[in-house]
């Protein structure tokens, strides 16, 4: 992947943190990592401050106080970018429930049909669905997303937008129900992904939804449980995500792919 400016949201832990680490290991990359605060929302551990940039010319800039669930996120993000034009955006910030105020043993059961509340639905949508749209609009409205007006189909994109989705957001692949807030909010952001791919195509921006696969991170019930259930290492998932970023073109804009634990990523049904 050629050196470029990256914006990664939700970078204090898990997939976001590892994406920052791997992208910053590529010479020349400038990685801008947004966090609400440096400590992980799950553990409180500050991992992002300790990432070293050993690759020649690579840099990491941490943008604090960025909460994608708030309508004023653009007012806080844009000034911190200080006029920088972003080449690749990875909308990674997300949540199973839209809050950390749920006991880890109750994360899945509270989203069953018998227990789901409208407050839980709304909180998940604020983070998972509206969050990426808020950030992307702020970048476009402030002309901080790399675009062009004369792109042709099949040409190399001048900008890339990736939205981290999930296989649970696939309507066609839903055969087990449940997880109402998470599934619905991710299915909705998949539609936003598809619409962005249409609206930004003539601006030379390729857009893709990426499911990271089943990953062992602190997301949801926690790293140990996820690993015990067969979750792949976060390093493996992020290598797959970066490979998908690298393969984005104007020809394949608007697609949905899922990283696999063993083997290449596969196309997902919407």
């Amino acid at each position: 992947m050629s050196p470029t400016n990256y914006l990664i949201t939700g970078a204090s832990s898990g997939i976001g943190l590892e994406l920052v680490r791997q992208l910053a290991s590529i010479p020349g990359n400038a990685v801008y990592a947004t966090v609400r605060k440096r400590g992980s929302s799950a553990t409180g551990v500050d991992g992002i401050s300790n990432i070293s940039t050993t690759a020649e010319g690579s840099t990491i800039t941490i943008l604090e106080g960025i909460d994608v669930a708030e309508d004023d996120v653009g007012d806080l993000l844009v000034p911190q970018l200080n006029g920088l034009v972003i080449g690749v955006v990875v909308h990674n910030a997300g949540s199973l429930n839209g809050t950390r105020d749920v006991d880890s043993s109750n994360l899945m059961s509270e989203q069953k049909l018998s227990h789901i509340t409208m407050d839980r639905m709304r909180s998940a949508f604020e983070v998972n669905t509206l969050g990426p749209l808020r950030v992307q609009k702020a970048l476009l409205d402030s002309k901080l997303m790399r675009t062009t007006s004369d792109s042709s189909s099949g040409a190399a994109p001048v900008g890339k937008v990736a939205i981290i989705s999930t296989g649970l957001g696939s309507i066609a692949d839903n055969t087990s129900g449940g997880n109402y807030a998470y599934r619905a909010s991710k299915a909705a952001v998949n539609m936003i992904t598809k619409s962005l791919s249409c609206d930004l195509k003539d601006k030379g921006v390729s857009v893709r939804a990426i499911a990271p696969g089943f990953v062992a991170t602190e997301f949801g019930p926690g790293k140990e449980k996820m690993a015990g259930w067969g979750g792949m290492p976060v390093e493996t998932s992020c290598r797959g995500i970066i490979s998908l970023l690298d393969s984005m073109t104007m020809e394949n804009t608007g697609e949905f792919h899922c990283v696999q634990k063993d083997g290449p990523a596969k196309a997902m049904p919407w």
Side-chain angles (χ1 to χ4, degrees):
M1 181 175 288
S2 301
T4 191
N5 296 332
Y6 291 84
L7 180 70
I8 314 295
T9 67
S12 65
S13 63
I15 289 170
L17 180 64
E18 183 61 24
L19 282 174
V20 172
R21 191 189 319 276
Q22 292 191 23
L23 289 169
S25 71
I26 300 171
N29 278 348
V31 183
Y32 292 79
T34 81
V35 298
R36 286 182 296 171
K37 54 185 179 181
R38 295 190 183 219
S40 163
S41 60
T43 66
V45 174
D46 177 5
I48 196 162
S49 297
N50 299 319
I51 299 178
S52 59
T53 54
T54 56
E56 182 179 357
S58 68
T59 60
I60 297 172
T61 303
I62 302 169
L63 309 178
E64 297 184 72
I66 306 301
D67 187 345
V68 303
E70 297 295 332
D71 286 341
D72 66 353
V73 64
D75 296 336
L76 299 171
L77 173 62
V78 169
Q80 292 193 60
L81 289 173
N82 196 28
L84 179 83
V85 176
I86 298 296
V88 180
V89 183
V90 181
H91 295 284
N92 168 72
S95 174
L96 184 64
N97 301 74
T99 177
R100 279 287 179 185
D101 298 331
V102 181
D103 185 87
S104 61
S105 64
N106 195 35
L107 288 172
M108 301 298 186
S109 61
E110 73 139 26
Q111 289 200 32
K112 291 181 178 180
L113 180 59
S114 56
H115 292 85
I116 190 66
T117 66
M118 298 308 103
D119 282 344
R120 178 61 62 241
M121 294 294 293
R122 279 187 285 268
S123 62
F125 267 77
E126 288 289 358
V127 179
N128 296 334
T129 309
L130 302 183
L133 186 58
R134 288 185 181 103
V135 171
Q136 195 60 49
K137 276 186 59 63
L139 294 174
L140 292 166
D141 292 347
S142 302
K143 302 188 185 306
L144 297 182
M145 180 79 212
R146 188 180 299 154
T147 63
T148 185
S149 59
D150 57 0
S151 176
S152 59
S153 178
V158 297
K160 298 179 181 182
V161 175
I163 295 181
I164 301 301
S165 183
T166 172
L168 291 174
S170 168
I171 294 174
D173 196 50
N174 183 1
T175 60
S176 57
N179 292 302
Y180 278 81
Y182 189 55
R183 282 189 187 276
S185 62
K186 287 297 192 175
V189 85
N190 282 352
M191 181 59 81
I192 286 173
T193 303
K194 192 66 174 179
S195 288
L196 285 172
S197 74
C198 297
D199 292 332
L200 298 179
K201 190 168 186 178
D202 64 352
K203 298 182 182 298
V205 178
S206 180
V207 185
R208 171 176 275 173
I210 299 176
F214 188 48
V215 190
T217 70
E218 297 301 335
F219 186 85
K223 187 174 182 178
E224 287 188 8
K225 281 189 177 180
M226 301 282 271
W229 294 341
M232 76 177 87
V234 67
E235 295 85 357
T236 301
S237 175
C238 287
R239 284 194 294 270
I241 292 171
I242 291 172
S243 178
L244 285 168
L245 291 176
D246 197 24
S247 68
M248 290 172 68
T249 67
M250 295 313 302
E251 195 170 50
N252 62 26
T253 189
E255 295 184 351
F256 180 18
H257 284 79
C258 181
V259 174
Q260 301 298 294
K261 186 175 184 179
D262 300 301
K266 71 173 183 179
M268 288 290 293
W270 292 106

